[in-house]
Amino acid sequence: ISECLVGSEMCIRDSSHTIVINDALSYQIRLSKLRLGPDVYRLDIRATTTLGRLTVSHAHYHNFATAQQAFNHQRHQLESH
């Protein structure tokens, strides 16, 4: 996840990571900052199979540190399978 300082505020750019399990299954984890208000982040996990795409889960976080921790945790869990 790339961060930058703008004055005294922190900004986030969309971050995504793809994990390929095999030829028939992969996951994409995406963390993005929503424009709904200050410090609202969305974490989405989508599975892509030979049958199509499916949203596995999504969650909202109200601070960057918690959102980044959830992103890293989910990524490591999926990579260990």
Side-chain angles (χ1 to χ4, degrees), residues 2-17:
S2 58
E3 301 173 31
C4 61
L5 292 176
V6 179
S8 61
E9 297 178 12
M10 198 182 295
C11 67
I12 181 174
R13 295 182 182 94
D14 287 355
S15 179
S16 66
H17 187 78

Side-chain angles (χ1 to χ4, degrees), residues 14-51:
D14 287 355
S15 179
S16 66
H17 187 78
T18 301
I19 299 160
V20 177
I21 305 298
N22 56 40
D23 290 341
L25 177 62
S26 66
Y27 291 97
Q28 181 184 32
I29 305 170
R30 182 175 181 191
L31 180 62
S32 56
K33 187 170 192 299
L34 300 180
R35 296 180 185 177
L36 299 176
D39 296 329
V40 179
Y41 302 91
R42 180 179 172 136
L43 179 63
D44 289 302
I45 301 174
R46 293 190 176 121
T48 301
T49 70
T50 54
L51 300 175

Side-chain angles (χ1 to χ4, degrees), residues 49-78:
T49 70
T50 54
L51 300 175
R53 285 180 70 169
L54 171 70
T55 298
V56 176
S57 71
H58 69 269
H60 290 99
Y61 298 91
H62 292 282
N63 81 33
F64 175 74
T66 304
Q68 183 180 31
Q69 183 179 23
F71 177 90
N72 290 330
H73 175 75
Q74 293 293 335
R75 187 186 76 203
H76 291 300
Q77 270 196 322
L78 291 170

